[in-house]
């Protein structure tokens, strides 16, 4: 058994070494012995993939220019603060009225420990703090199963795990697992279940302190009053609260998760500074990409004028759904690959409150409340604890729910989101509201997608013209990765393009 | 069923109202109509209970004096930084050599969302941040069960929950739970288990992405390589990793947890400022407490001189094991109650490292590694992410393990703790070490306990002389609460004493 037990563990050093595809950033020294100069590169798209491309190539002295259609870099890494204005494709213009220090991350908001995004935070000096992805005191609410009130995560977990434990212990006791487990295994299993499910001596679940208290334990005289009646196994199963539990086991979602202090856009801001603002042209809408054999020519509009930039190479780091609409001479293979990838919807609304009533009244400091409402997820802020105000994410939803909210005016979205929240948190969800700001990616100019669906996966043969350079044009983006919708995908895709481009330049 | 489902949930408002025993702080206005003056109170002990007593009474203008035997306030709320010196009862003198910004909380280190400790942080303006009590990327290591290498929490959970799921689904399938569950319940249960345990179509557990990767998913071309072989159910049960899972369900330990920014002693520091330093005498060792009927006289030594302070009332807010050795005339009931309460051992060692190799090599940002070694718990720091250095807690252990380490010199403790850590983290646990500082509560002068065992619970009849005032002397401390070893217990016990004392003064 000892040999097999080894398989249980990780060799930390080996694991660390193999954690990611090896990446060696281009360096100034790479050119000193070859006599070659660093090439000129135009990067189309100033999101994370484009910025990472220019940043990494810049380390070796490449002459990079980034063309970004929006007024700021970052792409879907988009943090909204008071005073920020957007106009969506329906013509809704909103100006955020958040107070100083308050913000919402409209796009990526959380970073797992294993993603290279954290390495870039370290390298760029972007301070990080915990993103509160899971909280035992946040709520679960399934109105459709008959729940009249929300239940706290901790209570739901105690009940579900308690009954799972009891049922498995009983089945074991009945001999139902005699074929699957030895007597020793069964002993160990029941020992585990008693502790893990907080079972009583008779191997039954009868609730306990894990569910919570109505009066918490305190000084002598106050031993605490346990929370309500324990529902039956049947009621717990019918409530469907268990459907939310697996989220926190996900390789990309398990706590601990992190965020940059002060907003996710601290990352593109730092990248922009490192690249040099003079290399980045914002408000530059590309209208044509031409591979001329000896170089690439990119036509774009900026400030009402049409301009052309010539370079040795081009990296296309914009969303595939946008790129597919830009005239190019890169061939039908590129075009059909781009058109096979389809955009997805997602949206968030930020609700600024005049008080942090969720801390004061509910003792919830961060975390996510899960619902079967069309708001889907409600996020408590992971920053500003104990402050005067705070921004809740009133909905983070996808697909049809996001599209449905997108059809509404911003004020109507607020009203509908608040109505859902009131069911869970009570009237303060409405009465303490100061202002709101909603953002829908499918309706955002120059992006028109929260993320993308890539049928067959990024290595499907049809995407070969995107994964390999087409002439002098390379492609990069989270949509060309196995971590679609994550900055990690954009960073590693950019590294891949940079590595290939640099190898070509060095060997030319 | 709908009615029963209500029991699943909490009424947020009702819960908020009942969360704690009601407390109304004394106010200056309390005395304006009565014509009475605020009394003079001597508080023996400048830990959290004593400070909270003086702070709350001070709000109504009581003339409080706090006598604290140690050189600083806070009691067991004790944060060690570079330059701090301690001498234990064995005569070991240590001066911490931690670099600027590095610290270890020797005593309390974490605060759950429901405890009044957070309310004091808010009221006193002490900023808080997440304490990383649980981390999917931290390790579990049971050498005694044959594990050769540590396993990450996430991997262990995937395996244990996967097999629990599989076994329960199989038992259900066999009809083993037909008496316990209806057909509908069974359907819902299996639906839950498939998702929660990541079971395949045949309801078997075969591993998956939750376990982790050796090569993580990244750009196209790198779909990721799943971690190693999946151990058998028998091996997983034998490893005993599941014994650590219930920790995070505890009402007092479930994430999210919090800590003051910059060290737990920001709380006593803020209390000390609010009380007024002139009201606090440190290095004041009490040698006698005399209830004189019309007042209380407390004798103490300070700076080599014996002094006496007279007051209308006294609050004894020092550990029972220390108080039991101080001569008094409070009666045999008080004395036997104090002697019934026994002190417990606990210890920590802070290991400062020259690099944050756990972030760089292991991608562990905070959290606790659980072991069957005599170091018990190993804590990763919850602050200073991506910094140059960091302080790991190399052991947080109790009872015999703590006592055993206490017998060693500080250097020997370091050596032994590092040897245990090397088994889990590899050689950098030794080679990157810069310095260490160990703290053992049972061997700490004027405290001599990490916490206390109160047989029968704090409301046992034998403790009545402590829970009610004895003459003009009141008692307060976490040891007179249902949350022993937590600041919440000290705060709420102080509130109880303050409420009783103030009511008596107002009605006198």
């Amino acid at each position: 058994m000892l040999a097999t037990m080894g398989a249980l563990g990780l060799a930390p050093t080996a694991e660390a070494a193999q954690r990611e595809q090896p990446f060696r950033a281009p360096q100034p020294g790479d050119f000193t012995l070859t006599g070659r100069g660093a090439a000129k590169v135009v990067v189309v798209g100033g999101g994370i993939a484009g910025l990472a491309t220019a940043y990494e190539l810049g380390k070796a002295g490449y002459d990079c220019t980034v063309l970004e259609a929006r007024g700021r870099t970052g792409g879907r890494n988009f943090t909204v603060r008071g005073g920020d204005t957007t106009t969506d494709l329906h013509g809704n213009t909103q100006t955020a009225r958040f107070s100083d220090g308050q913000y919402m991350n409209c796009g990526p908001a959380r970073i797992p420990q294993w993603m290279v995004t954290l390495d870039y935070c370290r390298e760029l000096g972007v301070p990080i703090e915990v993103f509160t992805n899971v909280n035992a005191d946040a709520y679960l609410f399934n109105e459709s199963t008959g729940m009249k009130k929300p239940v706290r995560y901790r209570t739901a977990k105690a009940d579900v795990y308690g009954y799972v434990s009891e049922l498995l212990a009983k089945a074991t006791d009945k001999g139902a697992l005699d074929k699957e487990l030895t007597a020793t295994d069964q002993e160990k299993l029941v020992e585990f279940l008693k502790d893990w499910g907080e079972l009583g001596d008779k191997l039954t679940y009868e609730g306990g302190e894990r569910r919570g208290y109505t009066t918490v334990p305190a000084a002598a005289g106050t031993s605490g009053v346990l929370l309500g009646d324990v529902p039956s196994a049947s009621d717990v199963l019918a409530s469907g609260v268990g459907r939310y539990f697996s989220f926190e086991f996900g390789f990309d979602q398990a706590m601990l998760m992190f965020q940059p202090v002060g907003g996710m856009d601290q990352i593109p801001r730092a990248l922009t500074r490192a690249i040099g603002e003079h290399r980045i042209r914002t408000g530059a809408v590309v209208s044509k990409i031409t591979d001329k054999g000896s170089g690439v020519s990119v036509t774009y509009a900026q400030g009402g004028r049409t301009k052309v930039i010539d370079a040795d190479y081009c990296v296309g780091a914009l969303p595939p759904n946008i790129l597919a609409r830009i005239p190019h001479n890169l061939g039908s293979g590129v075009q059909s690959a781009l058109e096979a990838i389809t955009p997805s919807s997602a949206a968030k609304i930020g609700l600024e409150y005049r008080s942090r009533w969720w801390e004061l009244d509910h003792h919830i400091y961060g975390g996510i409340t899960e619902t079967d409402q069309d708001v889907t997820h409600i996020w408590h802020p992971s920053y500003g604890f104990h402050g005067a105000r705070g921004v809740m994410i009133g909905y983070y939803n996808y697909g049809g729910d996001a599209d449905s909210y997108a059809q509404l005016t911003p004020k109507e979205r607020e009203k509908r989101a608040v109505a859902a929240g009131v069911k869970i948190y009570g009237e303060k969800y409405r009465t303490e509201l100061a202002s709101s700001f909603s953002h829908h990616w499918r309706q955002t100019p120059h992006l028109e997608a929260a993320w993308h669906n890539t049928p067959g996966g990024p290595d499907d043969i049809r995407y070969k013209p995107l994964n390999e350079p087409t002439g002098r044009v390379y492609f990069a983006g989270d949509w060309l990765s196995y971590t679609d919708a994550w900055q990690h995908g954009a960073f590693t895709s950019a590294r891949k393009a940079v590595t290939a481009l640099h190898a070509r330049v060095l060997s030319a």
Side-chain angles (χ1 to χ4, degrees), chain A residues 192-308:
Chain A
F192 162 75
L193 293 171
K194 281 181 74 168
D195 170 62
W196 177 74
E198 206 176 13
L199 301 184
D201 288 339
K202 294 179 182 170
L203 298 183
T204 54
Y205 172 66
E206 285 153 20
E209 60 95 31
R210 293 178 191 173
R211 304 187 79 241
Y213 289 82
T214 48
T215 303
V216 300
T222 308
S223 59
V225 178
L226 286 172
L227 180 66
D229 296 325
V230 182
S232 69
S234 183
D235 283 351
V236 170
L237 288 167
S239 75
V241 291
R243 76 178 64 147
Y244 301 110
F245 295 175
S246 60
F247 169 76
E248 67 185 274
F249 307 141
F251 186 60
D252 51 359
Q253 295 287 2
M255 283 283 276
L256 298 165
M257 302 285 282
F258 290 83
Q259 65 179 10
V261 175
M264 190 58 84
D265 68 354
Q266 300 303 323
I267 295 174
R269 284 182 180 195
L271 283 167
T272 299
R273 281 193 301 271
I275 293 163
E277 296 209 17
H278 62 288
R279 297 193 170 279
I280 299 171
R281 303 181 190 169
T282 54
V285 182
V286 169
S287 57
K288 198 172 179 186
I289 299 173
T290 310
D291 188 334
K292 299 187 295 184
S294 59
V296 183
S297 183
V298 175
T299 308
Y300 64 99
Q302 192 187 34
R305 293 165 60 180
T306 300
K307 303 176 183 180
V308 177

Side-chain angles (χ1 to χ4, degrees), chain A residues 50-72:
Chain A
L51 293 175
T53 299
Y55 171 67
E56 293 295 354
L57 288 174
K59 289 177 180 174
Y62 281 82
D63 178 12
C64 294
T65 302
V66 179
L67 302 177
E68 167 53 46
R70 301 179 82 199
R72 68 175 88 192

Side-chain angles (χ1 to χ4, degrees), chain A residues 336-423:
Chain A
S336 60
L338 291 171
E339 289 176 4
I341 302 172
T342 56
S344 303
S345 295
K348 285 181 189 161
I349 190 167
L351 305 171
E352 188 183 14
Y353 286 95
R354 278 181 285 269
S355 68
R356 294 174 80 94
W357 48 264
W358 53 92
E359 295 175 358
L360 296 163
D361 298 348
H362 300 258
H363 305 287
I364 297 175
Y365 288 72
I368 297 175
T369 283
E370 303 289 358
T371 78
D372 65 353
Q373 308 290 295
D374 61 13
V375 298
T376 312
H377 312 288
I378 296 176
W379 289 11
H380 296 89
S382 294
Y383 66 95
F385 302 114
H386 282 166
R389 292 177 162 235
V391 173
M392 299 269 288
I393 300 298
Y395 56 74
Y396 175 31
N397 52 16
Y398 330 112
D401 286 332
D403 290 337
S404 163
Y405 272 91
Q407 299 304 318
L408 307 177
T409 65
K411 201 65 198 171
E412 288 167 341
R413 295 173 193 163
E414 173 191 299
K415 193 178 168 194
R416 186 158 146 187
V418 165
V422 165
K423 294 183 197 173

Side-chain angles (χ1 to χ4, degrees), chain A residues 76 78-80 104-108 347-348 396 437-439 441:
Chain A
R76 283 165 285 159
F78 181 44
T79 303
V80 165
M104 68 181 283
N105 291 320
C106 295
K348 285 181 189 161
Y396 175 31
F437 184 93
S438 50
H439 192 77
W441 287 109

